[in-house]
Amino acid sequence: MANTKAGGKKQKQTLLEKLGSEEAVKAYYRKIGAMGGAKSRGGGFGSDKVGKDGLTGHERARIAGMKGGRASRLPSNITEQQKKQIHNLLAGGKSE
């Protein structure tokens, strides 16, 4: 029942039985959310910080998505060497 409405209702009922009140359940979720937020290091694709490569997380995600999209559309009958050459050309580099 994981990730279903029925599973969510069952989980809420279980927490109500264990913790006793609706406010206690809200406090529980607030506490575990704060733990995750405190553990975060602020990086990743959601980051606004400029990294060593001079890009923010959003810009880096956009470029990674472009590269992945191009790679998925390459024909399967070309060699790995040809794929590398195509990637280098699309990225603005020189062919080997």
Side-chain angles (χ1 to χ4, degrees), residues 12-68:
K12 184 176 180 179
Q13 188 59 41
T14 301
L15 284 174
L16 279 171
E17 290 171 8
K18 283 184 179 182
L19 301 175
S21 71
E22 188 77 32
E23 286 302 315
V25 172
K26 288 181 182 178
Y28 168 78
Y29 281 118
R30 200 174 299 121
K31 177 183 163 191
I32 63 174
M35 288 168 56
K39 195 172 189 176
S40 172
R41 301 199 183 264
F45 286 153
S47 173
D48 287 332
K49 296 179 191 173
V50 177
K52 293 179 184 176
D53 56 2
L55 302 171
T56 65
H58 174 75
E59 293 165 338
R60 197 173 300 109
R62 185 179 60 80
I63 291 170
M66 286 170 37
K67 287 181 180 180

